[in-house]
Amino acid sequence: MTAGPDEGLLAAARAALPGMVALRRTLHRHPETGAHLPRTQQAVLEALDGLGLEVVPGAHSSSVTARLDGARPGPSVLLRADMDALPLHEETGLAFASAVPGAMHACGHDLHTAMLVGAARLLAAHRRHLAGRVVLMFQPAEESGGGARHMIDEGVLETAEGGRVTAAFALHVTTRFPSGTLHLRPGPTFAASDGLHVTVRGRGGHASAPHRALDPVPVACAIVQALQTLVTRTVDVFDPAVVTVASIHAGTAPNVIPETAEIHGTFRTLTPATRHLVRDGITRIAHHVAAAHGARADVTLTEGYPPVVNDPARTAALHDAAATLLGPRRVHHLAEPIMGAEDFSYVLQQVPGAMAFLGACPPGTAPEHAPDIHCDRVVFDEDAMATGAAVHACAALHAATLPGRDTGGRDT
């Protein structure tokens, strides 16, 4: 790897940081959820204006696709940022805290968006070093709705002359790691996340005479307990699963035995085999535990995002490029997957690439004590955005040196 493309990249990213901070705070102050993000989309379009990019707003959502051609022929690489917020009331007390009741950028997507805009500025300034094309994917509806899949359907992976992007990269901020550090691993990095909904059907009656009814509440409790045993006694600890029942609803009054009890939750897995095992196990346990009590269970399992599986060759290339840019002490191997879910998985099912974690823990706070993403009190270190923008740009500038497609370890 030559030093030319990287020369001055970090310094330029730090110089561009005030603009990224300003954009991030605007987005944070005015969060939007779901697929319809008109204010966010407009802010991105205005931020990209004048950079000489081919910019295409989404046809069916508030997405933005921007393409930048380099000075020489070469491969096409995709860089992605998600833009949507969470339906959560903010409790950080920041001066630029959300002004929208019930909406908050608690997952760092405002930082992701600002970093990718920063990377666009860096790449436009380094166009002479760029071989090939960069596709910038600004995506809505990551938290729900699978916005990545809709952008794929609209052609975000396609380029001019019938070509296709050959590598894809994304960053996700987290307070789990010190600010400005990069953490990545080959293979499964995020889990598949599927939904479970069980309706236990009993027979209602008076609370004073449970023997004349068929109470679904203890049946639901027995199912929940059995689901924990499903994980601890049938799932390989080296191919993990997480089954969480997050909501149980039954009854309307303390002296009424209800007809039904509802169980809602998720299950998360890393491989197709364990995903199928857990799906079958949930259905079997719910049906048979209910039957053992003389009740009936209706089971609905909703397929969610597939796992994020990093391509080994692309992961190694990103690691090496980032280590050269940042220094090896700031780039780390991620020891184990995160059991959260991410719809960048849809991109990686079709294009080899990698998602890495960018530490953004605030100074003076230990990562183990910092509120994490999806918490209403989470605060990120904005200085990390300079590192993120530079890593994005570095990945694109070195795309021409990437090895051929390697499907080892990918979900097929």
Side-chain angles (χ1 to χ4, degrees), residues 192-194 239 267 269-280 302-307 349 411:
S193 178
D194 300 316
D239 184 7
F267 60 101
T269 54
L270 296 173
T271 64
T274 298
R275 195 179 192 182
H276 292 312
L277 182 149
V278 174
R279 286 180 64 91
D280 292 345
T302 306
E303 185 172 296
Y305 298 161
Q349 282 186 327
D411 186 21

Side-chain angles (χ1 to χ4, degrees), residues 30-296:
H30 305 284
E32 296 173 299
T33 61
H36 185 59
L37 319 175
R39 187 166 188 157
T40 303
Q41 182 188 51
Q42 186 59 36
V44 170
L45 292 173
E46 291 174 1
L48 297 176
D49 188 42
L51 297 182
L53 310 181
E54 175 192 343
V55 180
V56 181
H60 302 293
S61 71
S62 297
S63 66
V64 176
T65 301
R67 298 181 176 92
L68 171 67
D69 289 320
R72 307 186 307 280
S76 296
V77 60
L78 180 143
L79 306 175
R80 177 269 206 165
D82 37 11
M83 304 189 295
D84 56 320
L86 284 161
L88 187 67
H89 184 74
E90 182 164 354
E91 297 289 351
T92 62
L94 292 170
F96 53 91
S98 172
V100 181
M104 176 190 177
H105 270 294
C107 200
H109 296 185
D110 50 342
L111 283 85
H112 297 173
T113 302
M115 287 191 302
L116 193 55
V117 168
R121 294 187 175 278
L122 296 177
L123 289 167
H126 286 71
R127 194 189 300 260
R128 67 189 183 281
H129 293 302
L130 180 63
R133 166 174 280 198
V134 181
V135 178
L136 305 172
M137 176 182 180
F138 293 91
Q139 178 209 313
E142 189 282 321
E143 295 295 349
S144 62
R149 185 168 50 186
H150 299 305
M151 289 192 71
I152 292 170
D153 291 341
E154 289 188 355
V156 72
L157 302 183
E158 312 302 326
T159 61
E161 292 82 40
R164 190 174 177 86
V165 298
T166 57
F169 298 101
L171 298 177
H172 202 302
V173 295
T174 178
T175 60
R176 294 188 185 190
F177 303 123
S179 185
T181 60
L182 200 70
H183 303 256
L184 67 168
R185 71 190 309 273
T189 299
F190 276 93
S193 178
D194 300 316
L196 71 90
H197 177 200
V198 178
T199 302
V200 180
R201 301 191 182 280
R203 187 173 62 254
H206 198 284
S208 66
H211 61 288
R212 299 175 61 87
L214 203 173
D215 192 345
V217 174
V219 181
C221 294
I223 291 173
V224 172
Q225 290 295 101
L227 291 178
Q228 306 312 305
T229 305
L230 167 68
V231 174
T232 62
R233 288 298 176 265
T234 65
V235 174
D236 185 344
V237 295
F238 297 106
D239 184 7
V242 176
V243 178
T244 298
V245 173
S247 173
I248 301 178
H249 292 280
T252 57
N255 62 347
V256 175
I257 293 174
E259 289 277 333
T260 63
E262 305 279 341
I263 300 170
H264 298 267
T266 66
F267 60 101
R268 299 161 188 271
T269 54
L270 296 173
T271 64
T274 298
R275 195 179 192 182
H276 292 312
L277 182 149
V278 174
R279 286 180 64 91
D280 292 345
I282 291 171
T283 302
R284 182 181 67 253
I285 284 171
H287 285 161
H288 288 279
V289 169
H293 288 78
R296 178 165 63 89

